[in-house]
Amino acid sequence: AIEAVLGRNLHAIILKDAKVVSEIIAYLKTRKLGNAALLIPRLIEIAPEPAQKDLPPDALAWATDKVKAPKPLEGLITSLLGNVVIFPELEQALACETREPAIAMATLAGEFISRQGIVFTGSSERRAASLLERKAQIADLAKEEAGLANERDSVSARRDETKTALEIASRLQRELTEAARKLDALQSDKAALERQIAAADERIAQLERDLQSGRNQLADQKTELGAFEAAQKQTVLREEELAERTNELRLGVATDRQRHETLIAQREPLSARDAELAELITVRKADIAVYERKSAAQAEESRESEELIETQTAQRAEAQANSAKITGQRATRLAAVSDRESELRRMRDSLGELQDHRAHEQVRESQFQMKIDNLLGHISRSYQINLRGFTADHFAFQKALHTQAKKRTNSDDPGSARDSRALAGAPDALPPTDDQANSADARLSTEGFGDGAELGTRVRVRSPEIDVERLIADLRTQLDNMGPVNLEAVHEYDELEERYKFLEAQNTDLTNSQRELLDVIARINSTTRKLFAETFEQVRTNFREMFGELFRGGRADLSLLDENDPLNCGIEITAKPPGKQLQSVSLLSGGERAMTAVALLFAIYMVRPSPFCILDEVDAPLDENNINCFTRVLDRFVQQSQFIIITHNKRTIAKADVLYGVTMEERGVSKLVGVKLTAAAQPLTEPASNGNAHAPRQQRLAFAAR
């Protein structure tokens, strides 16, 4: 509805300065960027806010009530949306238009009835989204983006889980492949064993057949023996005659039986040997056939090798001739290369010497230039004269020399008097000629002391009899002795002296404080080292005792990584449970590390007891046997400390005197439940927070189960 009322005004750009309108229009026309709606403040008359009328029947609200704008734009919004009512349907708006013709109306579907009675309605399939729609779409897209981001995070988490599962699956696949390989090996071993069992069964069957034949022979002999015995019974008369025969037959039967048994015993290895020989004959025949084929192949290869050797021999002779020729050429080339390398080496040495000489000359040039710059800077700072732009003044120089000569006449130095007479025009001091003066002036003006020469050297050409260098040195000394004139020097000296005394006192205090602090630090370090060494030895002894008690044997030790710096170095824990090698605590299992940590904790408790102790699931990695050791050691310390243990282990909970748990009878509402497991008469209370060493035992142990 608001979009229908505003129409194209919704796209207007509000300008603070009306001067830029022409520039914007010219820019749009020049660049052909399309149309633009510009709102110029001075061209719009902000109407006063109309008096609020009663809302017509069936109307939802006034349009101005549904728009929030900054305070500077409230008048503009009132001008655009004033006397506009929003209706839910077009029929209700048309009905109201007949009653209120001075009011504009808009519907929630985007239909608009102007104050002139024009109805703007209809729809378009290809309508571009307006600013407010795009704003709403942006908000929806932002929410959708947040949802997609959360979904992306969840998908990333699932992807990580899938990767972990794939890694586990790949590891299981490798294990399955290894198991399949082992299974194949076992199956091959099984087949070999089955073949061996079948061969053994065949040998057993053969032996059973041999045994059956022997038994048949024995049965026949027994039958014959029975016949003889029957005949003996029937023929008593022939008993004496046949007795000797019977004994002979019995002896023959025994001999045959023994021979039969011996043959049976010898038959089995002979059969096995026969089978082995037959198999060996087969193998040897196969080997002979293979060797015959290999021999034929070797003969053929030998013939081909001989032919190849002859060919290779001819090629080798030719190659040796070529090699000798190439060797001669190579020697010639190597000699030429050696000569060239020697020449190149000499040239490189010469080039290196030239480069060194050039570098040396460059260094000298740089030094001379630095000296020149230093002299120029010194002259400029001392005399405020730029020598590069200096022009010699012969007459001023002569005047200055004459003045200095007069001043030096009062001196007792004979040399000075002679210089004065020379400067004053004495007969023994001939003045320089005009050519000499002009040449000296020309050199002073053109060179400008650029080569670093001193002023005295230049002047000596003009007046060789006068010691100008000495005169210049004296004048420079006098000038330096004068120094700059500072009227505030006395006051500054007093301030500096006062500040120096203050800083000296501060420095003395800081030095004393530093010395005292270093002494205190040394004493503290000494005391700390002593106390630490004593405590460490006590904890070390207690740790050995507690470790042996918890593990029912074994040994453990604590050692400093750097005994020269015990306060800053680490501590290494070594442990040897029963049945294991001495190793670092990091190489133990989870339960063993937990028991070692408990031993160290109680070893420290024996040196520095604490009023109470909170243990958070320290017994989680322990088995049933170690739980009993843990609770037994815990009973030793409940008389001097109160223990609050968070645990899930039933054996540990069974040792508690007071049990606290958190339950949730109603969803989202937690409730603390306490159970008193002792038979004391006093009511159940919260765990004591002061850790009184004389409290009864039933108040010393409190366990919390999550």
Side-chain angles (χ1 to χ4, degrees):
I2 298 299
E3 291 173 359
V5 175
L6 293 176
R8 296 186 65 184
N9 296 330
L10 188 63
H11 299 272
I13 299 174
I14 302 175
L15 303 178
K16 296 182 179 180
D17 188 4
K19 298 179 180 179
V20 299
V21 175
S22 58
E23 298 179 3
I24 295 175
I25 294 174
Y27 186 79
L28 293 175
K29 289 182 178 180
T30 303
R31 299 296 179 92
K32 297 181 180 180
L33 299 177
N35 299 326
L38 305 176
L39 194 151
I40 304 173
R42 63 182 179 81
L43 299 180
I44 296 180
E45 296 180 358
I46 305 301
E49 184 177 357
Q52 190 70 28
K53 299 180 180 179
D54 294 335
L55 192 67
D58 300 330
L60 296 177
W62 295 96
T64 54
D65 297 337
K66 296 298 181 180
V67 176
K68 294 181 180 179
K71 191 171 184 62
L73 301 180
E74 289 180 354
L76 176 62
I77 296 301
T78 302
S79 300
L80 296 176
L81 300 179
N83 292 328
V84 178
V85 183
I86 300 175
F87 285 89
E89 300 293 340
L90 181 61
E91 290 78 7
Q92 300 172 353
L94 292 173
C96 181
E97 199 274 336
T98 58
R99 298 190 303 270
E100 300 287 343
I103 298 177
M105 287 154 281
T107 63
L108 299 178
E111 298 160 338
F112 177 63
I113 303 175
S114 65
R115 295 183 181 86
Q116 292 78 18
I118 301 174
V119 180
F120 298 91
T121 183
S123 63
S124 175
E125 296 181 355
R126 300 180 61 184
R127 182 176 65 87
S130 63
L131 291 178
L132 298 181
E133 289 179 349
R134 287 197 293 270
K135 196 172 183 180
Q137 290 174 0
I138 290 171
D140 296 338
L141 289 174
K143 294 180 180 178
E144 185 178 357
E145 181 187 7
L148 290 175
N150 296 331
E151 185 177 356
R152 182 193 63 190
D153 295 338
S154 62
V155 169
S156 299
R158 290 198 299 272
R159 181 193 62 188
D160 296 338
E161 294 176 357
T162 305
K163 286 183 179 179
T164 305
L166 287 175
E167 292 176 358
I168 296 172
S170 62
R171 187 172 66 253
L172 293 176
Q173 183 66 28
R174 290 193 298 270
E175 294 177 357
L176 180 61
T177 305
E178 184 67 20
R181 187 181 60 79
K182 292 181 179 179
L183 181 60
D184 294 338
L186 293 174
Q187 288 179 354
S188 62
D189 295 340
K190 179 181 178 183
L193 292 175
E194 288 178 351
R195 288 193 299 271
Q196 294 177 3
I197 291 171
D201 291 340
E202 291 178 359
R203 289 196 297 271
I204 291 171
Q206 183 67 29
L207 293 174
E208 288 179 352
R209 288 192 296 271
D210 295 340
L211 182 61
Q212 187 64 33
S213 63
R215 287 177 180 176
N216 292 334
Q217 292 177 4
L218 182 61
D220 294 340
Q221 292 176 1
K222 286 182 179 180
T223 303
E224 293 177 359
L225 182 60
F228 284 124
E229 290 177 354
Q232 185 182 8
K233 290 179 181 179
Q234 294 176 1
T235 58
V236 178
L237 298 176
R238 297 178 60 187
E239 181 178 359
E240 294 179 356
E241 297 177 358
L242 295 177
E244 185 178 356
R245 179 65 179 170
T246 303
N247 292 330
E248 293 178 358
L249 290 174
R250 288 179 178 175
L251 181 60
V253 169
T255 303
D256 292 338
R257 183 182 300 171
Q258 184 177 3
R259 187 182 297 113
H260 176 67
E261 292 178 354
T262 303
L263 292 174
I264 290 173
Q266 293 177 356
R267 185 172 183 176
E268 181 177 355
L270 290 175
S271 299
R273 181 61 179 170
D274 189 13
E276 291 178 359
L277 291 174
E279 184 178 357
L280 183 61
I281 289 169
T282 305
V283 173
R284 291 292 184 267
K285 288 181 179 180
D287 293 341
I288 289 169
V290 172
Y291 288 143
E292 288 178 353
R293 290 194 298 271
K294 288 184 178 180
S295 177
Q298 290 292 337
E300 181 67 22
E301 290 180 0
S302 298
R303 185 179 58 79
E304 294 177 356
S305 298
E306 289 177 356
E307 295 177 356
L308 184 60
I309 287 170
E310 294 177 357
T311 305
Q312 293 292 336
T313 302
Q315 292 179 358
R316 186 184 67 179
E318 184 179 357
Q320 287 178 352
N322 293 332
S323 176
K325 183 178 179 180
I326 292 172
T327 302
Q329 294 178 357
R330 180 173 178 272
T332 305
R333 298 285 179 85
L334 287 176
V337 169
S338 299
D339 296 338
R340 295 292 178 87
E341 286 181 352
S342 300
E343 184 179 357
L344 179 60
R345 192 178 299 109
R346 289 193 300 271
M347 293 180 68
R348 285 179 177 174
D349 295 339
S350 177
L351 179 61
E353 293 177 357
L354 291 175
Q355 289 178 351
D356 294 339
H357 183 67
R358 178 188 175 188
H360 182 67
E361 293 298 330
Q362 288 179 351
V363 170
R364 291 187 60 192
E365 181 181 358
S366 301
Q367 292 176 352
F368 287 146
Q369 187 63 35
M370 290 176 62
K371 289 181 179 179
I372 292 171
D373 294 339
N374 292 333
L375 289 173
L376 293 176
H378 178 69
I379 297 286
S380 177
R381 288 190 303 271
S382 300
Y383 307 108
Q384 290 79 35
I385 297 174
N386 185 8
L387 293 181
R388 296 189 184 276
F390 177 75
T391 302
D393 190 351
H394 173 69
F395 298 102
F397 177 68
Q398 291 294 332
K399 183 178 179 181
L401 286 178
H402 184 69
T403 304
Q404 292 298 326
K406 287 183 178 181
K407 290 182 179 179
R408 293 169 65 89
T409 53
N410 298 326
S411 176
D412 297 332
D413 189 1
S416 299
R418 185 173 60 254
D419 294 340
S420 301
R421 290 194 301 272
L423 291 174
D428 56 351
L430 298 177
T433 62
D434 295 337
D435 296 336
Q436 293 176 349
N438 294 333
S439 62
D441 293 340
R443 284 197 301 272
L444 288 172
S445 60
T446 55
E447 294 179 2
F449 296 93
D451 56 351
E454 295 183 357
L455 183 61
T457 304
R458 298 295 183 182
V459 175
R460 190 176 290 112
V461 177
R462 177 77 166 87
S463 301
E465 297 82 7
I466 303 173
D467 192 359
V468 182
E469 292 182 355
R470 182 177 178 183
L471 178 61
I472 293 173
D474 294 338
L475 293 175
R476 183 182 291 113
T477 302
Q478 295 176 8
L479 185 63
D480 293 336
N481 291 333
M482 290 176 61
V485 179
N486 186 5
L487 301 178
E488 298 292 331
V490 177
H491 182 66
E492 291 177 358
Y493 172 79
D494 295 335
E495 291 180 352
L496 290 175
E497 186 177 10
E498 182 179 359
R499 179 169 177 78
Y500 171 77
K501 292 180 180 179
F502 174 77
L503 293 177
E504 184 69 17
Q506 292 291 325
N507 184 32
T508 304
D509 293 339
L510 290 175
T511 305
N512 296 332
S513 300
Q514 181 183 8
R515 185 171 58 256
E516 293 175 359
L517 286 176
L518 292 176
D519 295 337
V520 171
I521 291 171
R523 290 197 300 271
I524 290 174
N525 289 337
S526 177
T527 306
T528 306
R529 287 175 181 270
K530 181 179 178 181
L531 295 177
F532 179 81
E534 295 175 355
T535 306
F536 181 77
E537 289 298 325
Q538 295 177 4
V539 172
R540 185 179 183 183
T541 304
N542 297 337
F543 177 66
R544 294 174 179 174
E545 177 185 352
M546 292 303 303
F547 186 88
E549 182 177 352
L550 286 173
F551 284 89
R552 296 188 183 90
R555 57 191 179 91
D557 195 9
L558 300 176
S559 60
L560 297 174
L561 296 179
D562 186 5
E563 295 182 356
N564 296 325
D565 190 10
L567 300 180
N568 297 321
C569 70
I571 298 175
E572 183 179 6
I573 303 174
T574 54
K576 180 184 178 301
K580 291 189 176 182
Q581 296 295 330
L582 185 65
Q583 55 190 350
S584 177
V585 71
S586 60
L587 301 177
L588 299 177
S589 63
E592 291 171 343
R593 280 185 289 180
M595 292 290 286
T596 305
V598 171
L600 181 59
L601 174 65
F602 288 124
I604 298 173
Y605 254 66
M606 295 171 69
V607 179
R608 294 288 187 270
S610 177
F612 64 94
C613 176
I614 299 177
L615 303 178
D616 189 358
E617 295 186 3
V618 296
D619 56 350
L622 303 181
D623 55 9
E624 297 294 331
N625 191 18
N626 291 330
I627 287 294
N628 294 332
C629 297
F630 170 70
T631 55
R632 185 170 59 254
V633 172
L634 196 63
D635 290 335
R636 289 179 51 186
F637 296 91
V638 295
Q639 300 299 331
Q640 60 184 3
S641 298
Q642 181 180 9
F643 288 84
I644 301 174
I645 304 178
I646 301 172
T647 182
H648 294 284
N649 193 279
K650 296 180 181 179
R651 290 181 178 269
T652 309
I653 295 175
K655 299 292 292 183
D657 298 325
V658 179
L659 179 65
Y660 292 95
V662 180
T663 183
M664 189 179 293
E665 296 179 353
E666 299 179 6
R667 183 175 181 82
V669 180
S670 299
K671 182 180 179 182
L672 183 65
V673 178
V675 178
K676 190 174 183 181
L677 302 180
T678 58
Q682 56 269 29
L684 179 64
T685 60
E686 294 292 331
S689 60
N690 54 4
N692 187 7
H694 300 286
R697 185 176 182 275
Q698 58 268 19
Q699 297 296 329
R700 301 297 292 175
L701 278 175
F703 285 53
R706 291 174 180 169

